[in-house]
Amino acid sequence: MSPKVSEAYKAEKKAAILEAALHCFTEKGFQATTVDDIVRHLGMSKGVIYSYFSSKEEMYIQMADDRMNAMVSSLSEQFKSIPNASDQIHHMFERFRRQSLKDLRKWLAFHLEFMLYAARQPELIERWKQYADKALVFIQEIIEAGIRSGEFRSDLDKETVACLFWSVRDGLALQYMLTGEETDYERTIQDMEQMVFRFIKA
């Protein structure tokens, strides 16, 4: 009879596999990476990896979801001391400014390659939508609170504003994907922040 494996042990193994997968994805690219690459990097048998994840696609989805959940959890905790919706949106823009272009480019390349790959596979599109919806809902809740408090226009559509918010973020990231300087990037974020607030403020 094999020994019982604790939940903590399983969580540790999964985290180790995802860390190895992330390393390979960012080094070689999502499509070029194979499960064998992850096996070699981790020094773990392929059978063990498949006992936790059925494919590299599942690894990516889990990784992206964990990152999104961590962001939402961290911001929700910080927002306990930032009660105003306007200040919460300002805080989000400040987070964008603090992220270096080097880090932004690494993560954007990682996500973009998967999105192009997933675009031809309906089952992955649905999984991606579940992940992306969390980001939209998070901003929608801030906008809704700002409308209730009178900080934001009463006629705003929260879904539209959430899409606008992330489109500004993602669009800027694409604009600076290959070239551009940190100072220009930070100044453009600041200008975009002012534009967004001119649209949403009561």
Side-chain angles (χ1 to χ4, degrees), residues 116-140:
L116 291 170
Y117 172 79
R120 299 176 181 88
Q121 303 186 56
E123 70 281 2
L124 289 180
I125 293 174
E126 183 55 36
R127 294 289 301 278
W128 175 267
K129 184 177 182 302
Q130 293 171 15
Y131 154 79
D133 281 352
K134 292 181 182 180
L136 290 170
V137 169
F138 184 71
I139 298 300
Q140 287 172 20

Side-chain angles (χ1 to χ4, degrees), residues 158-177:
K158 63 182 182 180
E159 287 84 3
T160 299
V161 177
C163 286
L164 170 66
F165 177 86
W166 288 116
S167 295
V168 165
R169 164 56 166 170
D170 295 343
L172 283 179
L174 283 171
Q175 183 69 30
Y176 285 87
M177 176 69 191

Side-chain angles (χ1 to χ4, degrees), residues 21-30 33 56 60 63 110:
L22 176 60
H23 172 84
C24 294
F25 291 158
T26 54
E27 285 292 312
K28 292 186 66 175
F30 177 80
T33 295
K56 68 176 185 178
Y60 172 90
M63 198 182 304
F110 171 62

Side-chain angles (χ1 to χ4, degrees), residues 67-85:
R67 187 172 167 87
M68 177 64 71
N69 290 340
M71 184 197 77
V72 170
S73 176
S74 171
L75 285 169
S76 297
E77 186 62 32
Q78 292 173 42
F79 286 174
K80 290 178 181 178
S81 60
I82 308 175
N84 292 338

Side-chain angles (χ1 to χ4, degrees), residues 19 32 46 53 55 72 87 104 112 116 119 142 155 169:
E19 186 176 344
K46 189 180 288 189
F53 297 99
S55 64
V72 170
D87 290 339
L104 177 66
L112 277 178
L116 291 170
I142 298 175
D155 62 337
R169 164 56 166 170

Side-chain angles (χ1 to χ4, degrees), residues 7 26 29 50 63 69 72-73 90 93 97 104-105 118 139 143 168 181 183 197 201:
E7 290 302 315
T26 54
Y50 278 126
M63 198 182 304
N69 290 340
V72 170
S73 176
H90 282 304
F93 275 104
R97 276 191 292 272
L104 177 66
R105 286 164 178 160
I139 298 300
I143 298 302
V168 165
E181 302 297 327
T183 52
F197 269 91
K201 288 287 282 186

